[in-house]
Amino acid sequence: MSLSSFTIPRDLDLDHDPHGASPSSETVPVSSTADLSRDALLRFPAFRIWLSTLHRSLSRQHQQQQSPHEFSRDPYVLRGIDIQAVDYFGGGRLGFVKLKAEVSNGSGETLPGSVFLRGGSVGMLLILQPDDVPPSNEEEKRVVLTIQPRIPAGSLAFTEIPAGMLDDSGSFAGGAAKEIQEETGLTIPQEELIDLTALALEPGAAGSEDEEKGGESLQKAVYPSAGGSDEFIPLFLCQKRMPRKEIESLQGRLTGLRQHGEKITLKVVPLKDLWKEGVRDGKTLAAWALYRGLKEEGKL
C-alpha cells in the first residue's frame, strides 16, 4: 500500500499556513494512505472535532488549578497519527477514518489510541400520545422505534430509536427533525425538539461540574463506544399528541430512504416498555434514562 506523510498543527487554531510550515514543536507528524490528502483530512469535521477535543484535554495537564492534574508530573503528548484506512460515501465525501494515535509520556508509557472516526449522529425519542386522553397520562404514551438491518452488528432486524449521521452542514436539531421525517414520515418542526443531553448538562447539573471548573470540554452528547470510536450522539425528545388512529397506523409501516439502502419498519411500543424493547441499543437506553431522570427532576 502506498503511503503519504505530512504534518498538521497540534492546535487547529494555529492552522494558518496551508503548507503546514508551523514550528516543529507545534505540529504532529501524520502517515496516511495515498488516497487521503492533508487538506481533505483537515476538512473532515469528525477529525477536526476529535483533534481539538484531544488537544484541550491534553492541555489541561499543564494548567494551574486548585489541585494538580493526575498526569501533570509526566504529561502525555500526542506524538503522531497513523491513518490506516478511509471510507468514502457517494459523491466522494469522506465518511469514516480508522487511525492509530500515538499518545505517550516522557517515561514511554502509552495510552490506547486506536480510533474509528465517524463523527456526530443524532438520536430521537419520539413519544406520541392519543389526543383523547389528558397530557399527564403517561400510561397512554407510545414510542416509535425503527427495525432495520445493521450489518456491523450482524443483524437484519435491529430495534432502536430513530437515528442517523449528520451531514457536514446540518445542525443537531435540524438533523434530528430530518431523521424523524425520513424514518417515520412525520414532519416535526425543529423548534419542537428538546435536546435531552444539553438539558441534563446545563450549568449546575452534576455532569457539567468538571467543565465548569475548567475540565474537559466534550460534546453535549452521549458517547456509545468511547473506547474505540469518537461517535457522539445528542439525544432529542419530541412529544406529540395525535389522533389514536394515526398512531396505530404507524405500526408496521415501511419507511426510510429505500434508494439509499434504508429498509425500515416502524414499531410502536408503550413508553413503559421502551427499556425492554430497545435493550440492545445503547442510545435507546440512554434516551429512556434521560427522559426518566429529567422528568423526576421536574425539567420536562
Side-chain angles (χ1 to χ4, degrees):
M1 178 186 297
S2 58
L3 302 174
S4 64
S5 60
F6 46 81
T7 62
I8 61 172
R10 194 175 300 279
D11 181 357
L12 289 178
D13 291 337
L14 302 177
D15 187 24
H16 303 302
D17 185 346
H19 302 292
S22 306
S24 59
S25 61
E26 298 298 329
T27 62
V28 178
V30 177
S31 63
S32 175
T33 56
D35 57 346
L36 180 65
S37 68
R38 177 184 188 274
D39 289 345
L41 179 63
L42 291 179
R43 286 195 305 266
F44 187 35
F47 180 78
R48 295 186 65 86
I49 293 172
W50 169 78
L51 185 62
S52 296
T53 303
L54 178 61
H55 174 74
R56 288 194 299 268
S57 295
L58 291 173
S59 297
R60 290 187 60 239
Q61 299 171 109
H62 308 283
Q63 294 175 0
Q64 297 297 322
Q65 302 174 2
Q66 292 181 347
S67 57
H69 191 279
E70 180 183 358
F71 303 145
S72 61
R73 292 187 178 182
D74 194 1
Y76 286 87
V77 177
L78 175 61
R79 304 188 188 276
I81 298 174
D82 178 19
I83 307 293
Q84 299 171 324
V86 298
D87 192 7
Y88 289 91
F89 294 157
R93 185 167 67 93
L94 187 57
F96 302 134
V97 172
K98 170 66 173 63
L99 63 83
K100 180 78 175 291
E102 181 187 354
V103 181
S104 62
N105 62 13
S107 302
E109 298 173 327
T110 63
L111 299 177
S114 293
V115 183
F116 175 58
L117 283 180
R118 56 167 292 155
S121 304
V122 288
M124 291 73 65
L125 178 58
L126 178 55
I127 298 178
L128 305 180
Q129 186 181 46
D131 57 10
D132 57 3
V133 299
S136 59
N137 189 331
E138 291 282 312
E139 288 295 318
E140 287 282 354
K141 288 185 176 181
R142 299 293 183 264
V143 176
V144 179
L145 297 174
T146 63
I147 301 175
Q148 61 184 309
R150 289 300 194 189
I151 298 304
S155 173
L156 295 182
F158 195 80
T159 302
E160 59 190 304
I161 57 174
M165 295 180 64
L166 290 175
D167 58 27
D168 294 348
S169 60
S171 67
F172 286 119
K178 178 182 177 183
E179 289 296 335
I180 287 177
Q181 185 171 18
E182 289 179 355
E183 297 198 356
T184 69
L186 299 175
T187 300
I188 305 295
Q190 180 175 331
E191 59 270 16
E192 292 185 11
L193 298 176
I194 298 173
D195 189 335
L196 294 173
T197 36
L199 187 58
L201 289 168
E202 65 183 6
S208 65
E209 291 179 355
D210 288 343
E211 188 170 337
E212 293 171 10
K213 297 176 182 178
E216 295 184 335
S217 299
L218 302 179
Q219 298 293 315
K220 288 181 171 59
V222 299
Y223 287 76
S225 187
S229 176
D230 70 314
E231 183 181 17
F232 56 92
I233 309 178
L235 294 170
F236 290 84
L237 167 67
C238 177
Q239 299 193 83
K240 188 175 181 66
R241 289 171 61 79
M242 296 171 54
R244 187 179 295 271
K245 287 186 176 180
E246 289 187 21
I247 297 175
E248 293 173 351
S249 71
L250 294 174
Q251 191 74 264
R253 180 182 295 181
L254 302 180
T255 65
L257 300 178
R258 317 296 279 190
Q259 69 274 24
H260 292 168
E262 292 184 348
K263 314 292 185 182
I264 297 173
T265 302
L266 299 185
K267 184 176 185 179
V268 181
V269 303
L271 174 60
K272 62 182 178 63
D273 294 335
L274 177 60
W275 67 274
K276 293 185 288 187
E277 295 284 351
V279 67
R280 285 192 172 90
D281 182 54
K283 62 185 175 293
T284 298
L285 294 179
W288 176 79
L290 285 170
Y291 176 81
R292 287 177 58 89
L294 290 168
K295 285 281 286 186
E296 289 176 1
E297 293 197 355
K299 295 183 177 181
L300 290 176

